[in-house]
Amino acid sequence: MFLSADKVYGSLIGSVLADAIGACFEGLPVNKLRSQFSGKLAAFDYGVTRDSLNYTDDGEMTLALAEYLAENHTIISRELMRRFVQTYQSWRGYGRGTRVLIEAFRDNAEYEFMASHLFPGGSLGNGAAMRSAPVGLRFHGDTSKLWEEAKQSAWPTHRHELGIEGAQLIALATSLAATVTEITPSRLADLLLPSCSTVVFQNRLARLAKSESDADIEQFGNGIEAHESVVTALACFALYPTDYRSAVATAIWQGGDTDTIASMTGALVGAHLGSAFADALPVERLEEGPEFIGYVRGLAERLAAS
Ligand code: 8NA
Ligand code: MG
Ligand code: MG
Ligand code: MG
């Protein structure tokens, strides 16, 4: 099944832009955030108009994974880890475990042991989910292949079943976003549930199916753990599937891990809409300017053709 380069570009730029916008609120408690701005759209607009618009670890790893997938038919987790090491810029703000593992792999330290034991059962952080949208764009026609490849995309840094399943859900949701015309919370939840094997995510998806408004989103969390952020992003997308600004603003409005929840939300809306949403936004101010946008367009074309 064909996926247009425009949808791939929409997802990549939607993710990277939302990461850059959300980054200036990262770690803010929800009460503090909501007392500083008159509403979610005001917060979004503040984030957009800041002088520098730089992506963080979320964008860096998403682009690295997209590059890898444009060149490879299947993911070999150690090869992918090598790619993450090559693109690693510590100032982008990585989660602790991911930073430690990248540096251990780079320095030929006890990487394999640490990947499994740094946290009990491996990491359940959202660092694998935040980068997995390109897996959905690359393997969108084949759910079982997509699900396995998403596991391999998580494996370099995230070995806990929740860290892995978070990545699988974002990848599958991205492929659904790109191909399903009518998205609603119940439709998205119904399409994701059959693949889902953890009770934690099954319960959250069952509650996603019943979500109707912003007031229903808070229950899904705003944390750095996969199960406290992935369904939050799914809900922001499913409530505003055709409105990038509202969807990403809703993600930011949750406080906490704003760059990451916004970035996952932006990847989903961008895959759904294609690139048209970006016309109204200053994407040319991302990173070093028009050159960066040209790079992402080229990457999207290569990924779509792969
Ligand atoms: P990670 O693997 O370190 O996981 C994130 C955190 O989750 C860990 O540091 C632990 O506190 C906790 N955690 C993970 N696994 C377990 C477990 N099994 N048991 C108990 N606690 C656990 O890193 P990651 O790559 O998943 O993190 C992604 C996040 O880091 C994103 O929000 C991303 O934006 C980045 N981040 C950066 C900053 C910053 O410095 N700007 C701040 C927060 C997060
Ligand atoms: Mg980040
Ligand atoms: Mg974050
Ligand atoms: Mg293809």
Side-chain angles (χ1 to χ4, degrees), residues 115-224:
S116 297
H117 300 287
L118 191 59
F119 301 110
S123 175
L124 48 67
N126 57 21
M130 77 188 185
R131 65 179 181 240
S132 73
V135 178
L137 302 168
R138 177 67 175 74
F139 301 107
H140 65 97
D142 182 344
T143 300
S144 60
K145 169 106 172 134
L146 180 159
W147 201 252
E148 175 55 28
E149 294 288 341
K151 177 179 179 176
Q152 296 308 318
S153 80
W155 196 251
T157 49
H158 291 72
R159 300 189 176 186
H160 191 287
E161 62 177 1
L162 294 177
I164 292 169
E165 193 150 82
Q168 291 170 315
L169 286 168
I170 291 295
L172 180 54
T174 304
S175 83
L176 294 167
T179 49
V180 175
T181 323
E182 291 287 327
I183 294 282
T184 62
S186 69
R187 179 127 172 79
L188 185 61
D190 287 350
L191 290 167
L192 292 171
L193 262 166
S195 299
C196 186
S197 64
T198 66
V199 174
V200 171
F201 274 117
Q202 283 168 352
N203 288 341
R204 279 168 168 74
L205 290 175
R207 285 189 269 136
L208 171 65
K210 297 190 193 116
S211 298
E212 292 175 345
S213 72
D214 286 25
D216 296 319
I217 295 178
E218 249 166 69
Q219 62 178 313
F220 300 124
N222 68 358
I224 198 170

Side-chain angles (χ1 to χ4, degrees), residues 26 58 257 259-260:
E26 192 177 18
D58 309 56
D257 197 1
D259 66 328
T260 301

